[in-house]
Amino acid sequence: MSVARLAWLILWLVLLLPFGSAWASDPWAPFDLPWFDRIGVAEGLPHSVSTAVAQDRRGLIWIGTMGGLVRYDGYRMREFGDAAGPSPDLPDAYVRSLLAVPDGGMLVGTNSGGLSRFNPATNRFETYPIGNGGTSDRKIYALARDGDEGVWIATERGLDRLDLRTNRIASIIGGNAQLASRNFTVFEDRENNLWLGNNNGLFVRTAGSKTFVRPPHPLGNIDTILKDGVWAIYEDREGRLWIGSTQSGAAYRDRNGVWHEVNGYSGYRPNQERRSTVRDFLEIAPDTMWLATDGSGVMAYSIDAGTLQQLAHDVALPSSLPGDSIRALMQDRVGNVWVASDLGVAHTQPYARSAFSVLPAATQNDHGLGGTNVRGIFVDSKGRIWLGLSAGRVDMIDLQHGSIRHIQLGESQTHRDVQAFAEMPDGSIWVGTQGLARIAPDTFAVQDAIVPAMDEKPVLHLLVEGRQLLIATYDGVYRYDTQTQALAHFNHDKNDDDSLASDTVRRIEPIGSSIWYLTGHGISIAANAAQTGDFRNLFSSPDDPSSLPNNLVSSVTTDPRGRLWVGTYGGLAMLESRPDDASYRFRTLGMAQGLSSDNINAVQSDNQGDLWVSLPNGVSKIDGQTHAVHNLSVRDGLRISSYIYAAAARAPTGEIMFGGLGGLTVVRPTWQPMRHGDAPLVVTDAVLNGAALPFGALPQSNESIKLKPHNRSLRIDFALLDYQAPQETSYSYRMEGFDDSWIDVPRGSLPSAIYTNLPHGTYTLHLRATTQGLQSRVAETTLHVVAAPRWYETIVALILAAVLALAVLLGVVQLRTLYLRRQAMHLQEQVDVRTRDLIIANQRLDQLASTDELTGIFNRRRLLEMAEGIRRLACDGNACIALLDLDHFKHVNDSYGHLAGDQVIRVVCGILLEHCRDGDVVGRYGGEELLVCLPDGTLEQGLAVAERIRFALANCPVMHEGQTIIITASIGVAAWRDGETLSQWLTRADGALYEAKHGGRNRCVGVG
């Protein structure tokens, strides 16, 4: 045996000896059952029947099943199933045995596919041949390390040895023909003796020998066991060799070679009934051995006491084993015990014992509670613990005998919660529920309704003070004289500020010589039990931070230093030291100081002066000296998450008890868990640029990851490999050089760090896990990440790119200059063309704005502008205007239509233009009225022009649609007079026109 192996075993013994003695002397041991966390098909197992469990070099758990193999990191399962063609998976999905090998790989023994070896460098299985140069059979029952660099292989038809250095298998030839039978197990002890268990029993090849023989042993049950089929061989830390058989139980041989029976599990049963097969052993403490059985669960055997305790599946307890057919046991490097069963895998942490839960059982046995919710706790003078449950049930825990007695109240109390207990001078236990009941101290006989006047009153608490029994209810306090049976009552009086603070009295506690009534609206303090008024009342005041933090008060306790602590629904209040006549001042601890809630259900002090509080969502410890807060977690053994108002007590042996929804929580204040070494935070999987890394290439702490340049994506899966309370472990990560702060993994999500399209460069990836509980810790792992640059991100490429960019820039500038010049020329040409067009357009617009649309002559606006210009330049009498109006034009429109009228006006305008001089201005004044401006002309000249126009019109009929229209006009001519305005000028011309109309029409009239 190697020196390192011997040193390791000695270290185990040294560490475990104190715990073994502690377990043996622990009065709670019969009730402190392991809490198994189950892993089944719903969590990813390929098959519910689990057959083997092993832990690899990195700390990950491998689980073999009848339907495949998985690798588990506490969060993720990687499944390896049956091979189908060219596949990296197993040759057979039915795994029988597993053994981790030093290179990080795993040996896998299958049911019909032989032996395979998982290669972590390729993530593929390499299957060994069967027959010559391989295993003696394709069914592999067991694998075991030898004292050298080899592995023993027990098969259906032989025993083989694999040399890990050469990777070759050799068959072991024994001197006994019985060795050719089914070999179920093989083991090499620390003295290099080779033990073989098969269908014919137990055989040994001693060190230096080449022959297997039956070991010497006594007759009787030992002989029966050793000649039965042997399925399990195990050597404990003391060197005892344990043997498990097919149907006759188990036995062990001490280091002196003496064989011993396992009391209660050696040989056949008295009626010759066969026992369940013992498949495996595991020593979880120096005095405790677990036997894995195929049908009876786990048998926990105390070697010194010779007692056997069964750990079996309980349909009422999800914390029990998932099944009773146990195939394998394994303890990992942080102390978790793994159990492979027919209904999945379960694991438990035997050293998470700062707290544990006493739970209800499927049947009312003597180790399980009779109900789910513990609503009241009381410890009597004999050290017995009384638990009030629902539906009138009472449980009595007897630590001395390690049992629980179940008691049922009757009558009206059957359906009520039991919350209160009191021990009377005669030793009887009075129980408060719906009224009062009495339990005899020795016979446990129940007497219901012992105080008839209280039968309709829910009782919340009881306190015995001499012959007086104080009874807390929702209706104030009742005081019952146990001798005279007189019943008095006092309660809150809204008109009396010194009366009881509230009718709802939760607890009654003796504090020194006074009595404290804890109510739903403050505290009332009485000098003695006889006081029924004039109380000193304490309330919460928003304006006084030293007052009670909240009026709803749940409990009170005094620590060994004499300090008083009050639990309220606003935090935990500590009464500051005060003279007798001084006011009450409190210092408050709450969520701001680290508690998970301000609602204190109950507070208890332990013998060391530390405070323990139950909350709606857990249990916390407050250091009595520093007042530092520590919240318990699953890692401490806390499994009940919600607790009941005021249900708390200190056990006779110093443990703190809290009643919860689901059972009783027991806290061991002085428990110090065994240190197995801190669980590592490791990378359990990695995908770089879309390609998964083989397990053997996964980086360890301070190692580097290199990302190729094509997309530089990264996914790192990581986990804290303690496999405890994964929902309570917080994960975060930060890429130094890229992330500004830590990135938290959302609770309930798988711990992974994911990055895509990282810029090239060198980074440091920090991974972090934070645990909760009394032994909380922060684990960190650091990886170096190198993201390679793409070709165009290299220095040479960047320099070339800069030079090219400069050349391109110069070329672009030159081309741009030429382009701009051409564009400027082209633009100038366009400007010239557009200017000409604009001039023409403006002229056209001006013409349109000045011309009458129908006739083409000046419109009224332009006509008046032209007339004003002529007026300004004219001399007195040297300019005329002729205003022309067509005679009977309305008759033309009415007779021939408006189109004919338009034609007449156009013809008239044409005649006007023909008979006017150059420089004369002709325009349409309005409707059928036309105006002719005659500059540089006298009245006589103007009349002459007007007469020619009139004559031409009268002799030029208009033809329209075959009809002849005769046209005549009346014309008024006015010569400009010096000083008159255009308007005045036009008025005179209009007057002349009027005169021509009245003179018979078709004539000209002039005015000077």
Side-chain angles (χ1 to χ4, degrees), residues 646-958:
R650 186 164 58 225
T653 48
E655 294 82 8
I656 305 298
M657 300 173 290
F658 292 111
L661 296 174
L664 175 70
T665 291
V666 181
V667 178
R668 297 182 175 95
T670 59
W671 174 261
Q672 293 296 323
M674 177 183 173
R675 300 292 295 181
H676 275 77
D678 291 332
L681 178 65
V682 304
V683 175
T684 61
D685 216 339
V687 178
L688 309 185
N689 293 338
L693 285 182
F695 298 157
L698 294 176
Q700 301 188 43
S701 184
N702 289 318
E703 292 185 349
S704 296
I705 299 173
K706 294 185 179 180
L707 296 178
K708 294 182 179 180
H710 62 276
N711 62 17
R712 295 194 295 252
S713 64
L714 171 68
R715 193 196 80 208
I716 296 292
D717 297 336
F718 58 104
L720 185 67
L721 297 184
D722 66 351
Y723 302 98
Q724 299 177 51
Q727 70 278 6
E728 292 184 352
T729 304
S730 301
Y731 290 93
S732 55
Y733 59 92
R734 180 172 70 92
M735 185 77 78
E736 186 178 344
F738 183 78
D739 295 322
D740 294 331
S741 60
W742 286 89
I743 299 172
D744 293 327
V745 176
R747 191 169 296 275
S749 299
L750 299 178
S752 297
I754 302 175
Y755 293 91
T756 57
N757 296 320
L758 269 175
H760 70 90
T762 301
Y763 306 93
T764 301
L765 177 60
H766 300 274
L767 308 175
R768 184 169 67 185
T770 304
T771 66
Q772 300 181 22
L774 298 177
Q775 308 294 326
S776 62
R777 60 181 283 250
V778 176
E780 287 198 22
T781 290
T782 300
L783 304 176
H784 304 289
V785 179
V786 179
R790 299 178 178 92
W791 66 266
Y792 52 82
E793 295 172 329
T794 61
I795 297 298
V796 174
L798 291 176
I799 293 174
L800 291 176
V803 172
L804 180 60
L806 181 60
V808 170
L809 180 61
L810 293 175
V812 167
V813 170
Q814 183 65 27
L815 291 174
R816 179 67 173 171
T817 302
L818 295 175
Y819 171 76
L820 290 176
R821 289 176 180 174
R822 291 185 179 181
Q823 284 294 97
M825 294 173 61
H826 181 64
L827 182 59
Q828 186 60 49
E829 293 175 356
Q830 289 183 328
V831 169
D832 294 341
V833 172
R834 294 289 188 272
T835 302
R836 288 193 299 269
D837 293 342
L838 183 59
I839 292 172
I840 295 172
N842 286 336
Q843 291 173 347
R844 176 60 179 162
L845 288 174
D846 185 60
Q847 179 182 4
L848 291 175
S850 304
T851 304
D852 179 65
E853 184 178 1
L854 177 63
T855 62
I857 61 177
F858 289 128
N859 59 20
R860 179 184 176 90
R861 181 186 64 81
R862 184 59 174 163
L863 174 65
L864 294 179
E865 289 177 356
M866 298 292 289
E868 176 66 18
I870 291 171
R871 183 193 70 78
R872 290 179 179 178
L873 297 176
C875 299
D876 184 36
N878 194 32
C880 297
I881 55 174
L883 185 61
L884 181 150
D885 182 70
L886 298 180
D887 297 331
H888 305 295
F889 186 73
K890 183 176 183 301
H891 174 73
V892 173
N893 281 334
D894 293 342
S895 300
Y896 302 104
H898 287 281
L899 293 179
D902 290 345
Q903 178 65 19
V904 168
I905 291 175
R906 283 195 292 269
V907 171
V908 171
C909 289
I911 293 172
L912 287 179
L913 292 174
E914 289 178 3
H915 292 82
C916 286
R917 303 168 301 170
D918 291 339
D920 293 344
V921 175
V922 179
R924 190 174 181 184
Y925 188 66
E928 69 273 18
E929 290 185 333
L930 303 172
L931 183 68
V932 180
C933 294
L934 303 168
D936 300 326
T938 62
L939 179 63
E940 291 76 9
Q941 292 173 329
L943 283 172
V945 173
E947 185 61 29
R948 287 197 302 271
I949 293 172
R950 183 195 66 77
F951 181 79
L953 290 176
N955 293 286
C956 186
V958 176

Side-chain angles (χ1 to χ4, degrees), residues 465-487:
E465 282 289 306
R467 54 189 275 185
Q468 305 292 328
L469 177 66
L470 296 176
I471 307 168
T473 73
Y474 291 113
D475 188 30
V477 177
Y478 292 83
R479 188 173 66 240
Y480 180 71
D481 191 309
T482 57
Q483 293 185 5
T484 66
Q485 299 182 356
L487 186 67

